[in-house]
Amino acid sequence: EDELEIAGVRFSSRLFLGTGKYEDMETMREALERSGTEMVTVAVRYMDLSGERSILQELDLSRYRLLPNTAGATTAEQAVKMARLAREATGTNWVKLEVIGDQKTLWPDTGATVEATKELVAEDFVVLPYTSTDLVAAIRLEEAGAATVMPLASPIGSGQGMPDWASISRIVERITVPVVVDAGLGVPSDAAFAMELGADAVLVNTAIARAGNPPQMAEAMKLGVRAGRLAYLAGRMPVSRYAVPSSPTRGVPAASES
Amino acid sequence: EDELEIAGVRFSSRLFLGTGKYEDMETMREALERSGTEMVTVAVRYMDLSGERSILQELDLSRYRLLPNTAGATTAEQAVKMARLAREATGTNWVKLEVIGDQKTLWPDTGATVEATKELVAEDFVVLPYTSTDLVAAIRLEEAGAATVMPLASPIGSGQGMPDWASISRIVERITVPVVVDAGLGVPSDAAFAMELGADAVLVNTAIARAGNPPQMAEAMKLGVRAGRLAYLAGRMPVSRYAVPSSPTRGVPAASES
Amino acid sequence: EDELEIAGVRFSSRLFLGTGKYEDMETMREALERSGTEMVTVAVRYMDLSGERSILQELDLSRYRLLPNTAGATTAEQAVKMARLAREATGTNWVKLEVIGDQKTLWPDTGATVEATKELVAEDFVVLPYTSTDLVAAIRLEEAGAATVMPLASPIGSGQGMPDWASISRIVERITVPVVVDAGLGVPSDAAFAMELGADAVLVNTAIARAGNPPQMAEAMKLGVRAGRLAYLAGRMPVSRYAVPSSPTRGVPAASES
Amino acid sequence: EDELEIAGVRFSSRLFLGTGKYEDMETMREALERSGTEMVTVAVRYMDLSGERSILQELDLSRYRLLPNTAGATTAEQAVKMARLAREATGTNWVKLEVIGDQKTLWPDTGATVEATKELVAEDFVVLPYTSTDLVAAIRLEEAGAATVMPLASPIGSGQGMPDWASISRIVERITVPVVVDAGLGVPSDAAFAMELGADAVLVNTAIARAGNPPQMAEAMKLGVRAGRLAYLAGRMPVSRYAVPSSPTRGVPAASES
């Protein structure tokens, strides 16, 4: 089967979901359900690690692998601490590593992210770092032991799609671990496009949570990801500058000559 | 249900397929099957209207509505004759009207297409005209009685996708009959994008027939069309210039403040 | 010299200007001056053909060739009448022909434009028709005797640039008379791009009249048009998928090897 | 006057030129002349630092400020050594810092570039670092004391233009020192576009050296840069979704109403 493998774990679904920004928990649960996802990310800051009504209790963790994320960290140290807290509280050693270097754009600080990746890998974490479209940063993350590389398509929550797709394509060509396109995807065609370029998976949050009908958009994203993946495996037609007739130029002459 | 209606006929699938360019009939049949299509177009020139081994005998016309097309016509007169021949031979009064004005790009002659539409509508044909992205040509076709308007995404068989999507969007906003994006779509993300813009259906031929694995690409296109349609119905997230955090900025402070 | 010739008249400047939307006449005159233009278009509707303070009296017609335009016409008949009025009032047989088919987008009605072109050519007008990016419409206009073809870059006054540049490129390749890109250009890079594709000239109005500083933008447009034209004549570098070093890979080894 | 200031030095021209890839020295000299540039970059590896027929002897250094570059360096150490060699040999403490992290794309290693910047700034160099479009890398370079930030438009020598212009725009908004767009620009419209976004200057090499007529393209680039700069200062028109008439809707009714 066409499964995705990350750190020895196999996934049938190539769509990962975030859990932020939903109007209510019921809508979130329904969206997760219809998306077919097998992994969801939750901000460590959003887990009420000591208390009662945590988002963690809203998730059926027998169905979804939990991927804590370090949203809100602005230094390697903060991110590392968040990852440790999450491991203690939830038992998972997986972490989506985010170290933000600019608040207006939520652009990642790739230098600090590489540093935190090294530290966390040394502590036996499975690290899935959020990064920019910078090729060499992606290479450094892979060298640091990242389990995947997760370049952004455009700023988090912006829905701008993937304007710098050429850089994503360069990363896909060069990186050996799975490439997960994260952030900025707005519609299923964006997700399909990422998969057609050869991305191994995508992570979507706002595009679903802030859609008019989140569960329906979740299903749309599921289909878009599958469409793009199937197309990648099938092999696309060549692009040509001019037209190429669909119909043979030979054929029954009676019609056109009469 | 979310069905498409053209001239009183209802379709569950919003993906129409062409039948040209397949390596063999078996591959074509399998691609049709996996695409879930309910309407296929066949060039009148490619029907051996008198003979034996016609492509028509290869198609299970109990499953697919037949849409003869006038590929190869360069004048309104030729196209009208082809449509009549097709009606006599196959019994259907539906026709995909193509009148080409330039051979290198297979660009439609919209003036001649409007003229042929009027003539064929007067003869009780159900006319689905292939046209350019020109807004006023689309309006004239609708005024002439076209059952749909079928603007090109890019030159036939080119696989360039839909660079002039802004014009497609203008047509979708303005035209009342179904808009079917036809020609030039190369990958499922192109098809999804067309549907997200509000197109009612898409027609695909070369992107499937010339894919590495046509039946698999046919399924990918089916999923892409559904993804785009569902997203359109669900309502997409707003696009913003800067980032919008997925995670709340409040939250457990212990982690990020420690 | 690299001059543009239209109907036997030679122009050194490949930038034509409109006269609408300026805050005042003084700003307009200064913008015309700094643009270096040699031809300006004035709406027939805006000429006070009987009266006193006409825009025509504001223009130094010894310096600029006057190009009356039929803005506001929605039928071939109206446009033809406007052209005749303009000829009577101003003495010029040149006309920028506009026949609009949709008010929201000011999209041209190419069918009516072809018809009016034929009529006006028969009456010895020099016809410069505004058209869409539709290739076959451009061909029909040339066949009808148009002195230039003037495809839009995007809707009039929208400043969206030239998203459907591929269609402009197809028109440039196929049409023999000068191609003047008209409408929608917003910045000098848009104008340069049109010229680099092989357009023979551009017409700009709103991008100058509605700039913060119209005379300065007029000069910027002049430079952009010249830049694009020179680049077209010089011949651009080839585009490559990967990087190509600017510096030789050989060279003094001392530095990099030490 | 509208001058650019870098490290206290003022430039009238906002176009910097490279010296690689020219067919011969005469063509290079003529291109420099017609470009109006005031600063040229030369690869340290290409300077024959000990010998006779160095490229340095081909340049009239009374007219152009020399900007040695560290092309070929793949580590911070190599780049620092090259900068020192260049200073010893030429007397200038300015350096265009390049540290490449991937040979196929010549993508910069931003981490190593930040490191080398710190080192060179500490040694009193004026450092103009080549970088990617990564926003936080640009911020780190500025913090490290870079005199400018020089993000790439696309891979060196590729001529792909500036597809990730949104990232360049983010850098321009956020960075205080001059932003010089470097690498990948292919035509004057690319250069104009960079300037319109607010870049302070551009650096061009291959687009001129590999044009059909390099001196003519050099002049085209000069005009493109000026056009873009003037437009930026003038303030562009607003972009609108629909059309906005250039001509007043009122006006002489006789023509259009008759």
Side-chain angles (χ1 to χ4, degrees):
Chain A
E1 268 317 307
D2 174 45
E3 292 189 324
L4 168 65
E5 185 174 327
I6 300 176
V9 177
R10 304 185 136 245
F11 297 88
S12 295
S13 167
R14 291 168 181 274
L15 174 60
F16 304 146
L17 254 64
T19 53
K21 290 185 174 176
Y22 283 93
E23 298 243 320
D24 53 61
M25 290 296 109
E26 183 51 34
T27 304
M28 181 192 77
R29 275 193 300 264
E30 203 185 332
L32 293 180
E33 167 81 24
R34 284 182 68 181
S35 75
T37 191
E38 295 164 7
M39 184 153 67
V40 298
T41 183
V42 176
V44 176
R45 292 176 75 180
Y46 194 35
M47 298 174 180
D48 187 353
L49 296 173
S50 53
E52 298 294 308
R53 267 178 297 279
S54 166
I55 189 173
L56 295 179
Q57 288 161 292
E58 305 285 345
L59 294 170
D60 180 353
L61 294 178
S62 67
R63 301 179 56 188
Y64 309 115
R65 172 170 282 268
L66 177 67
L67 180 65
N69 72 61
T70 66
T74 59
T75 66
E77 293 69 32
Q78 285 177 333
V80 168
K81 280 183 189 162
M82 282 185 184
R84 289 175 188 151
L85 276 172
R87 178 158 65 177
E88 281 171 40
T90 68
T92 182
N93 67 335
W94 287 43
V95 63
K96 182 184 168 210
L97 178 63
E98 294 186 33
V99 189
I100 297 304
D102 177 68
Q103 286 309 310
K104 193 173 185 181
T105 58
L106 298 179
W107 208 261
D109 181 329
T110 61
T113 306
V114 170
E115 189 188 331
T117 298
K118 286 179 186 166
E119 175 66 29
L120 289 169
V121 167
E123 298 182 17
D124 279 334
F125 280 89
V126 172
V127 183
L128 296 81
Y130 167 66
T131 187
S132 74
T133 58
D134 188 282
L135 175 62
V136 175
I139 294 172
R140 295 290 172 264
L141 288 168
E142 180 167 38
E143 290 169 351
T148 65
V149 170
M150 302 183 70
L152 58 83
S154 54
I156 292 174
S158 71
Q160 293 173 12
M162 194 165 64
D164 190 20
W165 58 268
S167 287
I168 299 289
S169 187
R170 284 185 281 263
I171 289 174
V172 164
E173 274 190 32
R174 183 69 168 71
I175 295 297
T176 307
V177 295
V179 173
V180 182
V181 174
D182 180 14
L185 302 175
V187 275
S189 61
D190 294 336
F193 182 28
M195 300 304 292
E196 288 159 5
L197 283 183
D200 295 281
V202 303
L203 193 154
V204 175
N205 186 353
T206 309
I208 294 174
R210 287 295 187 219
N213 182 334
Q216 190 165 0
M217 187 59 86
E219 184 178 345
M221 285 289 176
K222 176 180 76 175
L223 297 175
V225 170
R226 282 191 190 163
R229 177 66 183 175
L230 271 180
Y232 174 74
L233 296 174
R236 68 161 290 158
M237 65 174 288
V239 176
S240 65
R241 179 157 159 68
Y242 297 107
V244 182
S246 299
S247 308
T249 49
R250 64 178 177 80
V252 176
S256 53
E257 291 179 355
S258 62
Chain B
E1 266 321 306
D2 173 46
E3 290 189 325
L4 168 66
E5 185 174 327
I6 300 175
V9 176
R10 304 184 136 246
F11 297 88
S12 296
S13 167
R14 290 168 182 274
L15 174 60
F16 303 147
L17 254 65
T19 53
K21 289 186 175 178
Y22 283 93
E23 297 244 319
D24 52 60
M25 289 297 110
E26 182 53 33
T27 303
M28 182 192 76
R29 276 193 300 263
E30 203 185 332
L32 293 180
E33 167 80 25
R34 285 183 65 182
S35 76
T37 191
E38 295 165 7
M39 184 153 67
V40 298
T41 182
V42 176
V44 176
R45 293 177 74 181
Y46 193 37
M47 299 174 181
D48 187 352
L49 296 173
S50 53
E52 298 293 309
R53 266 177 299 279
S54 166
I55 189 172
L56 295 179
Q57 289 161 291
E58 305 285 345
L59 293 171
D60 179 353
L61 294 178
S62 67
R63 301 180 54 188
Y64 309 116
R65 173 170 281 269
L66 177 67
L67 180 65
N69 72 61
T70 66
T74 59
T75 65
E77 293 69 30
Q78 285 177 333
V80 168
K81 280 183 188 162
M82 281 186 185
R84 290 175 187 149
L85 275 172
R87 178 158 64 176
E88 281 171 39
T90 68
T92 182
N93 67 335
W94 287 42
V95 63
K96 182 182 168 212
L97 178 64
E98 293 185 34
V99 188
I100 297 303
D102 177 68
Q103 287 308 310
K104 193 172 184 182
T105 58
L106 298 179
W107 208 262
D109 181 329
T110 62
T113 306
V114 170
E115 188 190 331
T117 298
K118 286 178 185 165
E119 174 66 29
L120 289 168
V121 167
E123 298 183 19
D124 279 332
F125 279 89
V126 172
V127 183
L128 296 81
Y130 167 66
T131 186
S132 74
T133 58
D134 188 282
L135 175 62
V136 176
I139 294 172
R140 295 289 172 263
L141 288 169
E142 180 167 38
E143 291 169 351
T148 65
V149 171
M150 302 182 72
L152 58 84
S154 54
I156 292 174
S158 71
Q160 292 173 14
M162 194 164 64
D164 189 21
W165 59 267
S167 287
I168 299 289
S169 186
R170 284 185 281 262
I171 290 174
V172 164
E173 275 188 32
R174 184 70 168 72
I175 295 296
T176 307
V177 295
V179 173
V180 182
V181 174
D182 180 14
L185 302 175
V187 275
S189 61
D190 293 337
F193 182 29
M195 300 303 294
E196 288 158 5
L197 283 182
D200 295 281
V202 302
L203 193 154
V204 175
N205 186 351
T206 309
I208 293 173
R210 287 296 187 217
N213 182 335
Q216 189 165 0
M217 187 59 87
E219 184 178 344
M221 285 289 177
K222 177 181 73 175
L223 297 175
V225 170
R226 282 190 191 164
R229 178 65 183 176
L230 270 180
Y232 174 74
L233 295 174
R236 68 159 292 158
M237 65 175 286
V239 176
S240 65
R241 178 157 159 69
Y242 296 107
V244 182
S246 298
S247 309
T249 49
R250 65 178 176 79
V252 176
S256 55
E257 291 178 356
S258 61
Chain C
E1 267 321 306
D2 174 46
E3 291 189 324
L4 168 65
E5 185 175 329
I6 300 176
V9 177
R10 304 184 134 245
F11 298 88
S12 296
S13 167
R14 292 169 180 272
L15 173 61
F16 304 147
L17 254 64
T19 53
K21 291 187 176 177
Y22 283 93
E23 297 244 318
D24 52 60
M25 289 297 109
E26 183 52 32
T27 304
M28 182 191 77
R29 275 193 300 266
E30 204 186 329
L32 294 180
E33 168 79 24
R34 285 182 67 183
S35 75
T37 191
E38 295 165 7
M39 184 155 64
V40 298
T41 184
V42 176
V44 176
R45 293 177 75 179
Y46 194 37
M47 299 174 181
D48 186 353
L49 296 174
S50 54
E52 298 294 307
R53 266 178 296 280
S54 167
I55 188 171
L56 295 178
Q57 289 161 291
E58 305 285 345
L59 294 170
D60 180 353
L61 294 178
S62 68
R63 302 179 55 188
Y64 309 115
R65 172 170 280 267
L66 177 67
L67 180 64
N69 72 61
T70 65
T74 57
T75 65
E77 293 68 28
Q78 286 177 333
V80 168
K81 281 182 188 163
M82 282 185 184
R84 290 174 187 150
L85 276 172
R87 178 157 65 177
E88 282 171 39
T90 69
T92 182
N93 67 336
W94 287 43
V95 63
K96 183 185 167 211
L97 177 64
E98 293 184 34
V99 188
I100 297 304
D102 177 70
Q103 287 309 310
K104 192 172 185 183
T105 59
L106 298 179
W107 209 261
D109 181 329
T110 61
T113 306
V114 170
E115 189 188 332
T117 298
K118 286 179 185 165
E119 175 65 29
L120 290 169
V121 167
E123 297 181 18
D124 279 332
F125 280 89
V126 172
V127 183
L128 295 81
Y130 167 65
T131 187
S132 74
T133 58
D134 188 283
L135 175 62
V136 175
I139 295 172
R140 296 290 171 263
L141 288 169
E142 180 167 39
E143 291 169 351
T148 64
V149 170
M150 302 183 71
L152 57 85
S154 52
I156 291 173
S158 71
Q160 294 173 11
M162 194 166 62
D164 190 21
W165 59 267
S167 287
I168 300 290
S169 187
R170 283 185 281 263
I171 289 174
V172 165
E173 274 188 33
R174 184 70 168 72
I175 294 297
T176 306
V177 295
V179 173
V180 182
V181 174
D182 180 14
L185 302 175
V187 275
S189 61
D190 294 338
F193 183 28
M195 300 304 292
E196 289 159 3
L197 283 182
D200 294 281
V202 303
L203 193 154
V204 175
N205 187 351
T206 309
I208 293 174
R210 288 296 187 215
N213 183 335
Q216 189 165 358
M217 186 59 86
E219 184 179 345
M221 285 289 178
K222 176 181 75 174
L223 297 175
V225 170
R226 282 192 190 162
R229 177 64 183 176
L230 270 181
Y232 173 74
L233 296 173
R236 67 160 292 158
M237 65 174 286
V239 177
S240 66
R241 178 157 159 69
Y242 296 107
V244 182
S246 298
S247 309
T249 49
R250 66 180 176 79
V252 177
S256 54
E257 290 179 355
S258 61
Chain D
E1 267 316 309
D2 175 45
E3 290 189 324
L4 168 66
E5 185 175 328
I6 300 176
V9 176
R10 305 185 134 245
F11 297 88
S12 295
S13 167
R14 291 169 181 272
L15 173 60
F16 303 146
L17 254 64
T19 53
K21 290 187 175 175
Y22 283 93
E23 298 243 318
D24 53 60
M25 289 297 109
E26 184 52 32
T27 304
M28 182 191 77
R29 275 192 301 264
E30 204 187 329
L32 294 180
E33 168 80 24
R34 285 182 67 182
S35 75
T37 190
E38 295 165 7
M39 185 155 65
V40 298
T41 184
V42 176
V44 177
R45 293 176 75 180
Y46 193 38
M47 299 174 180
D48 186 354
L49 295 173
S50 53
E52 299 295 306
R53 267 177 298 278
S54 167
I55 188 171
L56 295 179
Q57 288 161 293
E58 306 284 345
L59 294 170
D60 179 353
L61 294 179
S62 68
R63 300 180 57 189
Y64 310 115
R65 173 170 280 268
L66 177 67
L67 180 64
N69 72 61
T70 65
T74 58
T75 65
E77 293 70 29
Q78 285 177 334
V80 168
K81 280 182 188 161
M82 282 185 183
R84 289 174 188 152
L85 276 171
R87 177 158 65 176
E88 281 171 40
T90 69
T92 183
N93 67 334
W94 287 42
V95 63
K96 182 184 168 212
L97 179 63
E98 294 185 33
V99 187
I100 297 303
D102 177 69
Q103 287 308 310
K104 192 172 185 182
T105 58
L106 298 178
W107 208 261
D109 181 329
T110 62
T113 305
V114 170
E115 189 188 332
T117 298
K118 286 178 185 166
E119 174 66 29
L120 290 168
V121 166
E123 297 182 18
D124 279 333
F125 279 90
V126 172
V127 183
L128 296 81
Y130 167 65
T131 186
S132 73
T133 58
D134 188 283
L135 174 62
V136 175
I139 295 172
R140 296 290 172 263
L141 288 169
E142 180 168 39
E143 291 169 349
T148 65
V149 170
M150 302 183 71
L152 58 83
S154 53
I156 293 173
S158 72
Q160 293 173 11
M162 194 165 63
D164 190 21
W165 59 267
S167 287
I168 299 289
S169 187
R170 284 185 280 263
I171 288 174
V172 165
E173 274 189 33
R174 183 69 167 73
I175 294 296
T176 307
V177 295
V179 173
V180 183
V181 174
D182 180 13
L185 302 175
V187 276
S189 60
D190 294 336
F193 182 29
M195 300 303 293
E196 289 159 3
L197 284 182
D200 295 281
V202 302
L203 193 154
V204 174
N205 187 352
T206 309
I208 294 173
R210 288 295 187 219
N213 183 336
Q216 190 165 359
M217 187 59 86
E219 184 179 345
M221 285 289 176
K222 177 181 74 175
L223 298 174
V225 170
R226 282 191 191 163
R229 177 66 184 176
L230 271 180
Y232 174 75
L233 296 174
R236 68 160 292 159
M237 65 174 286
V239 177
S240 65
R241 179 158 158 69
Y242 296 107
V244 182
S246 299
S247 307
T249 49
R250 63 178 179 79
V252 176
S256 55
E257 291 179 355
S258 62

